[in-house]
Amino acid sequence: MSLLFQLRKPLVTSIMISILIFSIAFGLYFFSRGSAEHSIRELLFEQQKQRQVESTKSLSEQIESDLDRVIMRLELLAREPALQNGELGTQEASELLKQAESDINSQITSIDTLGLLNSSNILVNISPDEFRSYIGLDRSQTGYVEEVNKSWQPYISSGFTGALGRYIIAIGVPITNLETGRHVGIITTAPLTTKFFERYGNILNVNAQFIVALDRDGKYLTAAPPELVGKDFFGEEVQKLTNGNQDVYRRLQPVQRHQLALGTG
């Protein structure tokens, strides 16, 4: 089973992520026969299933908290005087971006870039400096930017391949002048999906308990094998590969006689 959670923050348009925890290497061995074996098997399965549900719930809450922390750091940035005054392309704004980027990278998670869009959705500042060639890029047609402009609230996107060619989830936080209510611009950042989720456990080694994350659209944010990242969990390609998802990872390790391999999420 998968556990869905929503980012519970009053001003946040929620992201919904399915977290699946697979215990491929977990084995249950039985030496008895008949009804006694069946009863023991059912009991041990239910116990393991409950442990998996509890682990998934705890993991979901931790992920929710970390996404909250990213958004709160960006909201603090949006309150800086330079940004409040619309001075988004200045050197002072650049220094503020670098500090916020450093804080998020060192304290929360690795991010792709941290940028500022003006009121016309044009990228006017970005960190790190190596990506300043992207300044001037019009982000008006980018999905998460459109969502922020619709609600003027923080928004977390589904997974997608960013302008730098890396698979990301994007976060947009509006900059509102607190005195006038004027829409100044949008702060954008993008946690790298692999870097973000590997902080919570194994995401690649299928011979041990590992984590799979799906976005609100059912696309893989993390996967083993990694080439499934970005693929639709319910799409034809994955359905064929996983035999209808009846047991997504059964194909990776056949269940041996007298051994029960569990896959729950």
Side-chain angles (χ1 to χ4, degrees), residues 27-231:
L28 299 178
Y29 293 87
F30 301 95
F31 301 99
S32 56
R33 292 291 184 270
S35 60
E37 176 182 353
H38 178 76
S39 297
I40 295 172
R41 184 189 299 268
E42 290 297 317
L43 175 61
L44 291 175
F45 178 84
E46 287 302 319
Q47 290 175 344
Q48 176 66 8
K49 177 181 174 182
Q50 184 58 37
R51 285 195 292 268
Q52 294 288 76
V53 170
E54 292 171 357
S55 296
T56 304
K57 180 180 179 181
S58 175
L59 178 60
S60 295
E61 291 172 348
Q62 186 178 353
I63 292 171
E64 175 187 348
S65 175
D66 285 346
L67 289 173
D68 238 351
R69 290 170 63 201
V70 174
I71 288 175
M72 286 189 288
R73 182 63 183 87
L74 299 185
E75 288 177 331
L76 285 175
L77 177 60
R79 287 168 171 76
E80 290 286 348
L83 275 62
Q84 286 284 297
N85 295 331
E87 300 166 358
L88 306 183
T90 64
Q91 182 61 34
E92 182 179 357
S94 295
E95 294 303 320
L96 291 169
L97 279 182
K98 290 176 183 178
Q99 184 59 57
E101 180 198 14
S102 175
D103 291 345
I104 294 170
N105 277 323
S106 63
Q107 300 172 19
I108 309 175
T109 186
S110 297
I111 56 176
D112 197 35
T113 57
L114 184 59
L116 297 176
L117 308 182
N118 64 16
S119 58
S120 299
N121 304 314
I122 305 299
L123 182 67
V124 295
N125 214 330
I126 193 170
S127 182
D129 288 341
E130 63 190 274
F131 300 116
R132 292 188 68 82
S133 60
Y134 289 90
I135 288 177
L137 193 64
D138 187 348
R139 307 300 285 166
S140 298
Q141 304 302 312
T142 307
Y144 73 96
V145 174
E146 291 179 330
E147 293 295 334
V148 174
N149 282 318
K150 286 178 185 177
S151 63
W152 208 243
Q153 296 177 2
Y155 184 82
I156 304 175
S157 77
S158 298
F160 66 99
T161 302
L164 304 181
R166 295 180 281 200
Y167 205 74
I168 58 175
I169 53 174
I171 301 175
V173 172
I175 307 168
T176 305
N177 185 286
L178 299 178
E179 293 184 359
T180 66
R182 179 172 65 93
H183 292 186
V184 178
I186 299 174
I187 305 171
T188 68
T189 192
L192 299 166
T193 57
T194 300
K195 292 290 186 181
F196 181 76
F197 286 103
E198 71 182 5
R199 301 169 61 254
Y200 306 104
N202 170 39
I203 62 173
L204 295 176
N205 181 10
V206 298
N207 294 315
Q209 177 171 287
F210 66 103
I211 300 166
V212 171
L214 308 176
D215 66 17
R216 62 163 67 83
D217 299 323
K219 293 181 179 179
Y220 284 95
L221 295 174
T222 67
E227 55 264 27
L228 289 180
V229 169
K231 304 291 186 182

